[in-house]
Amino acid sequence: MTKDKDIKTVVPALRFPEFRDGEGWKRTPILEICEIIGGGTPTSSNDVYWNGDIPWISSSDINENNISEITPTRHITKDAIKNSATKLCKAPSIHIVSRVGVGKVAFSRVDICTSQDFTNLCNINCNYIFLSYLLSIIMKQKVQETQGTSIKGIASAEIKNLHVPLPEIEEQQRIADCLSSLDDLISSVADKIETLKEYKKGLMQQLFPAEGKTIPAIRFPEFQNKGEWEEAILGDYVEIKGRIGYRGYTTNDIVEKGEGAISLSPTNITDNGELIFNKCTYISWVKYNESPEIMLDRGYVVLVKTGSSYGKSALVKQLPQKTTINPQIVILKPQKMNDVFLSLLISHNLIQKQINKAIVGGAIPTLSQDSISKFKILIPKIEEQKKIAEYLLSVDELISTETDKLDQLKAHKKGLMQQLFPKLQ
């Protein structure tokens, strides 16, 4: 029997005032505080198994940013449990993704079953929310340790051999309450962002004419009697430029950061129409200066014309340094059109449908500059373009503000968890 004085203890960098003079956290074998079971998947050939009311989850049903969010997409019957490897995890339980999607952790407050990609903790003899946060740190660390190796998961035996540091139950509860409230705030802000995005999407549908119409459903009062939007082709309002074939570049032209210009690629364009520069390819100044017509500037719109992400676009609002484009992208330079309005127009269904029709098939989908120039558009006078652009930009600013807030909250949570839990060896 292990004596108390032989039990190793650790202390976190940050403790709530009422616990600062307390004892260190005791390293405890995880099997002393819970039972660990695996998961399984009932046969998909028997539809009856999948018509029950018991939640069954796969790794994609877990929100990796919030350990309390599980959204089961399938439900099974008691017979499915009897006739498969899956086991019922009595609530509350903790679920660690130990294979596909490895490292994610979540807890459930209802009885639940999981796929074989999980290692599950049941009959938990401590604060299960606290333990979930602690395990999320441990799993992230283990995933980092296996990066660059052939290991694609965390063995159940490895989890069973864990020794976890535990404070007294009151301190566990305090930490769980603190982090849960922060997660609730993060989820609230994330929900607000999604609501604003849907609001903008709805506005776009109302402020632009519907298919077959030449007047939008909603129009600002000062333009109510200004008549129909003009039917035109895109090439009459923008200059389209791409990288000329013989001015392409090879790996010999790629340089390190600081030694050349950014060459924008589809990965620098988000699905939400924003430019990101956290990972960039750089090409030599010689290659950059060779093609002045594709040097990016504020107010241009970039459009992916080649590859699986064709149709993605973004307005160039600012650039971290001199930037050009790779051969998968074209630049749309507005000539007689508001730049923000052009960006909105390119992302609208009217243009996106034409993009899908103009794509040339094959192994690599491709959109020609000539076909882009011939896209049919509907366009109001420049004053109405500006009004629509300003209004939707104000929504974008709200989304950007909330996104910044979300990033700050996530960073705060990450820092707080590093302080509230001891360093794990």
Side-chain angles (χ1 to χ4, degrees), residues 132-365:
S132 297
Y133 282 112
L134 177 58
L135 287 170
S136 71
I137 295 175
I138 293 172
M139 291 306 117
K140 282 188 176 104
Q141 183 174 303
K142 288 192 173 294
V143 169
Q144 289 174 351
E145 289 171 356
T146 59
Q147 284 181 350
T149 71
S150 60
I151 300 172
K152 302 299 181 184
I154 300 170
S156 176
E158 190 174 358
I159 296 172
K160 289 178 180 179
N161 287 329
L162 285 175
H163 282 63
V164 293
L166 295 179
E168 295 298 326
I169 194 69
E170 293 81 9
E171 190 169 3
Q172 293 179 32
Q173 184 67 57
R174 190 82 164 83
I175 293 171
D177 290 344
C178 172
L179 293 174
S180 292
S181 63
L182 190 52
D183 266 345
D184 288 343
L185 182 56
I186 288 171
S187 291
S188 175
V189 175
D191 289 344
K192 186 175 181 180
I193 292 169
E194 290 307 310
T195 300
L196 285 169
K197 287 179 179 178
E198 287 300 313
Y199 174 62
K200 179 186 174 183
K201 186 177 178 181
L203 276 177
M204 287 272 290
Q205 293 173 345
Q206 298 292 308
L207 290 171
F208 283 75
E211 190 172 358
K213 304 288 185 181
T214 54
I215 296 175
I218 295 177
R219 212 166 185 185
F220 294 101
E222 61 266 42
F223 305 109
Q224 289 287 358
N225 300 312
K226 294 296 182 179
E228 299 177 332
W229 286 23
E230 178 188 350
E231 294 183 7
I233 61 170
L234 187 62
D236 289 341
Y237 284 85
V238 302
E239 183 181 6
I240 303 171
K241 293 293 180 181
R243 182 170 287 280
I244 298 172
Y246 67 86
R247 289 183 184 169
Y249 57 85
T250 67
T251 54
N252 292 330
D253 299 304
I254 296 175
V255 296
E256 296 294 325
K257 182 178 180 180
E259 297 177 358
I262 293 173
S263 179
L264 202 74
S265 75
T267 58
N268 295 117
I269 305 174
T270 71
D271 292 335
N272 296 321
E274 297 292 332
L275 291 180
I276 53 174
F277 297 94
N278 52 338
K279 291 183 180 180
C280 295
T281 298
Y282 298 84
I283 60 172
S284 69
W285 291 118
V286 171
K287 186 55 66 172
Y288 170 76
N289 290 319
E290 185 181 50
S291 302
E293 74 280 2
I294 56 171
M295 294 176 181
L296 283 183
D297 202 355
R298 292 177 65 177
Y300 292 172
V301 173
V302 289
L303 171 66
V304 179
K305 71 177 185 69
T306 304
S308 60
S309 58
Y310 69 85
K312 281 202 307 183
S313 64
L315 174 67
V316 180
K317 299 174 184 176
Q318 57 185 4
L319 295 167
Q321 66 172 79
K322 290 182 178 181
T323 307
T324 183
I325 56 172
N326 81 359
Q328 293 177 272
I329 292 174
V330 290
I331 299 173
L332 309 180
K333 303 179 182 181
Q335 303 297 299
K336 298 180 289 181
M337 186 187 298
N338 177 274
D339 55 356
V340 178
F341 184 85
L342 171 60
S343 177
L344 294 167
L345 183 64
I346 295 301
S347 65
H348 194 271
N349 282 341
L350 175 67
I351 293 294
Q352 289 296 313
K353 284 183 178 179
Q354 293 181 74
I355 287 174
N356 288 327
K357 287 181 180 178
I359 279 290
V360 177
I364 303 176

